[in-house]
Amino acid sequence: MARTRSNAKPGLRTADRVYEEIRREILSGRLQPGERITEELMAERFGASRTPIRSAMVRLESDGFVETTPRSGTTVKQRSPRDIADIYDVRALLESAAAGLAAQTRSAADLRELVRVQTEMEECFARHPSSGGGEIEDLSRLNKAFHHRILEASGNTTLADSAVRLMDIGFLINTYASFSQEEIARSLDEHRKLIVAIETRDVHWAEAMMRAHILGARNSLRP
Amino acid sequence: MARTRSNAKPGLRTADRVYEEIRREILSGRLQPGERITEELMAERFGASRTPIRSAMVRLESDGFVETTPRSGTTVKQRSPRDIADIYDVRALLESAAAGLAAQTRSAADLRELVRVQTEMEECFARHPSSGGGEIEDLSRLNKAFHHRILEASGNTTLADSAVRLMDIGFLINTYASFSQEEIARSLDEHRKLIVAIETRDVHWAEAMMRAHILGARNSLRP
DNA sequence: GGAAACGCGATTGTATCCAATGTGTCGATA
DNA sequence: TATCGACACATTGGATACAATCGCGTTTCC
């Protein structure tokens, strides 16, 4: 079998490329929960040997995206509605604390960046309110960037890392895709208020706003 | 020491054994932060090939114990005092929430187990108050079990997993080893009060007690 | 004498081969 | 016919061989 060796990015490890790609496929739903992943098949798909695939699998399992039972196989991890709800609860806990810290210590650049992302989100939503095609993914990406920036602004990298981890897992169910138009509009409105709270350094408001934002999203999920 | 393929547990993967062992060595301080880990050397030590070592390394990196720079090498991760303090802050956040939930939903078995672990800790401390030898490790292990049980009793596995992750990392600095005798006694006393709070289902007290317990430990750290 | 280029050794990244083990199928037997 | 067991196959786990790359010392050129 001729290994096509698609020499993608120089200096980047094949294992990393595989990890990113499979992760993306899981997050986008192209790989469904419970679906089986065999190393041989993936190796063929990526034109590589099983070695980098295995490396990627170990990371994916450690990051909670797949489940491996020894000598049996690897499957995309299933999550019960209860698990999803739990994830949102913990996110609410972590990110509300981060929002409070961000309100205290945010820099001017943090604020500018938040406004920029928010503006882009609103433009995206205004252009395609019907939300038919791939704009949902843009919206999800921007939303992630928004939350990411607040976490960074908190100044606590452990807090940020823990929350990002949960955000990634939570997006398995592709939040915005299950949101109605009204729910997206409400989410954007909450972002705006969050920005004001952080801008005016209103710690308690920022905390409460973030908590409400995330718990609200949790209750809007339709499995 | 010749590690001669002692495969103690049948059915357990070598990679898992290596992961556990290296992790333990990092946590116990036998592998110092910044120290280099070469696959070849580890393979020799474990009487295995590089393959399971690599697998373990990927997991260790994903779990935040080591750092790998491509084609350069793997080193035990360095953490600044600020990072350590941050970890404790997040633990306080997560575990206080868990304590509150545990106070609400704990079973009789949960409570019994907490009392059992606590009793064992106190006996251990009473036997060796001078804390010279390996009793510190017993104490650390029991302490971990105590916190672990409360996290489980919370009923939120995501919450528990996130906190356990941080606990493991935090023990890089081997909490109890830096505690004075008085500080250990105080810690045990806080555990007792925590048990009472959970027993009587006093949610707010349990939360506050846990927060105080962890933040107190943070402030007792001497780097 | 200093700086850049070259080459060597050390170490990681990938491929492939072999071993171990779980799974499913097919058949024998009560 | 249902159940148990053995055997073949599929798939992962580990070992080994090879390739790529980085660090660093040496050498050479200006």
Side-chain angles (χ1 to χ4, degrees):
Chain A
M1 172 188 312
R3 298 274 177 225
T4 48
R5 172 149 296 271
S6 55
N7 55 16
K9 271 85 176 184
L12 196 66
R13 295 177 292 193
T14 311
D16 292 339
R17 201 164 52 86
V18 172
Y19 171 83
E20 291 295 341
E21 179 63 23
I22 296 184
R23 182 167 165 280
R24 216 186 335 260
E25 294 201 3
I26 292 176
L27 290 177
S28 72
R30 282 191 49 199
L31 279 171
Q32 289 288 318
E35 193 164 340
R36 230 167 134 208
I37 301 178
T38 67
E39 296 176 359
E40 189 68 39
L41 197 68
M42 285 296 159
E44 201 172 325
R45 262 200 46 196
F46 285 96
S49 78
R50 274 180 47 216
T51 308
I53 312 291
R54 287 192 50 186
S55 201
M57 287 304 173
V58 173
R59 281 181 63 192
L60 285 167
E61 183 183 20
S62 185
D63 287 351
F65 292 109
V66 304
E67 230 166 2
T68 299
T69 59
R71 286 191 173 73
S72 167
T74 304
T75 58
V76 179
K77 198 161 186 176
Q78 303 255 21
R79 297 202 183 264
S80 68
R82 168 67 187 273
D83 286 338
I84 304 289
D86 282 353
I87 290 174
Y88 274 78
D89 283 341
V90 180
R91 274 191 62 197
L93 201 61
L94 294 174
E95 295 197 43
S96 64
L101 288 170
Q104 286 175 4
T105 65
R106 58 104 183 146
S107 67
D110 288 328
L111 191 63
R112 267 199 308 275
E113 177 66 8
L114 281 178
V115 170
R116 195 190 64 73
V117 173
Q118 173 69 9
T119 305
E120 203 175 332
M121 280 187 87
E122 294 190 353
E123 284 171 2
C124 182
F125 180 61
R127 268 200 307 273
H128 314 280
S130 57
S131 71
E135 301 82 28
I136 291 293
E137 289 186 7
D138 285 339
L139 229 43
S140 285
R141 185 178 47 76
L142 288 165
N143 181 55
K144 195 168 157 183
F146 185 87
H147 284 257
H148 217 294
R149 187 69 185 204
I150 292 178
L151 288 166
E152 277 178 16
S154 76
N156 185 328
T157 56
T158 301
L159 181 58
D161 289 348
S162 301
V164 166
R165 216 177 149 73
L166 297 180
M167 272 183 62
D168 282 345
I169 299 176
F171 275 118
L172 281 171
I173 25 105
N174 218 338
T175 314
Y176 276 133
S178 74
F179 271 25
S180 71
Q181 198 170 328
E182 288 75 24
E183 283 167 334
I184 296 180
R186 180 177 54 74
S187 178
L188 286 174
D189 187 57
E190 288 166 355
H191 276 203
R192 267 193 297 276
K193 293 195 173 107
L194 208 35
I195 290 180
V196 174
I198 291 175
E199 181 180 14
T200 59
R201 303 196 182 281
D202 191 327
V203 175
H204 296 309
W205 189 23
E207 282 182 1
M209 203 61 236
M210 182 62 95
R211 179 173 290 116
H213 177 56
I214 294 178
L215 294 181
R218 181 195 63 174
N219 288 344
S220 297
L221 289 178
R222 312 263 177 278
Chain B
M1 58 186 72
R3 299 236 171 244
T4 52
R5 183 175 296 261
S6 58
N7 52 12
K9 273 85 174 184
L12 196 66
R13 296 177 290 195
T14 312
D16 293 339
R17 202 164 52 85
V18 172
Y19 171 83
E20 291 295 341
E21 179 63 22
I22 296 183
R23 181 167 164 280
R24 211 180 347 253
E25 294 202 2
I26 293 176
L27 291 178
S28 72
R30 284 189 47 196
L31 278 171
Q32 289 288 319
E35 194 164 339
R36 231 171 130 203
I37 300 179
T38 66
E39 297 175 359
E40 190 68 40
L41 197 68
M42 286 295 159
E44 199 173 325
R45 263 201 45 199
F46 284 96
S49 77
R50 276 179 46 217
T51 307
I53 311 291
R54 285 183 59 84
S55 201
M57 286 305 173
V58 173
R59 281 181 62 191
L60 286 167
E61 183 183 19
S62 183
D63 288 351
F65 292 109
V66 304
E67 231 166 1
T68 299
T69 60
R71 286 196 169 69
S72 167
T74 304
T75 58
V76 179
K77 199 162 187 175
Q78 303 256 21
R79 297 203 183 263
S80 67
R82 168 67 187 273
D83 286 339
I84 304 289
D86 282 353
I87 290 174
Y88 274 78
D89 283 341
V90 181
R91 273 191 61 197
L93 200 62
L94 294 174
E95 295 198 42
S96 64
L101 288 170
Q104 287 175 3
T105 66
R106 58 109 182 140
S107 66
D110 288 329
L111 191 63
R112 267 199 308 275
E113 176 67 7
L114 281 179
V115 170
R116 195 191 63 74
V117 173
Q118 174 68 8
T119 305
E120 203 175 333
M121 279 188 86
E122 293 189 356
E123 283 171 1
C124 182
F125 180 60
R127 270 199 307 273
H128 315 279
S130 56
S131 71
E135 300 83 27
I136 291 294
E137 289 186 7
D138 286 339
L139 229 42
S140 285
R141 185 178 47 77
L142 289 165
N143 180 54
K144 195 168 156 182
F146 184 87
H147 284 258
H148 217 294
R149 187 69 186 204
I150 292 179
L151 287 166
E152 277 178 18
S154 77
N156 185 328
T157 56
T158 302
L159 181 58
D161 288 348
S162 301
V164 167
R165 218 178 147 73
L166 296 180
M167 271 183 63
D168 284 344
I169 299 176
F171 276 117
L172 281 171
I173 25 105
N174 217 339
T175 314
Y176 276 134
S178 74
F179 271 25
S180 71
Q181 198 169 329
E182 287 75 24
E183 283 167 335
I184 295 180
R186 181 177 54 75
S187 178
L188 285 174
D189 187 56
E190 288 166 356
H191 277 202
R192 267 192 298 276
K193 292 193 173 110
L194 208 35
I195 289 180
V196 174
I198 291 175
E199 181 181 13
T200 60
R201 303 196 181 282
D202 190 327
V203 175
H204 295 310
W205 189 23
E207 281 181 2
M209 203 60 236
M210 182 63 95
R211 179 173 289 116
H213 177 57
I214 294 178
L215 294 181
R218 182 195 63 176
N219 288 344
S220 297
L221 290 178
R222 313 264 176 277

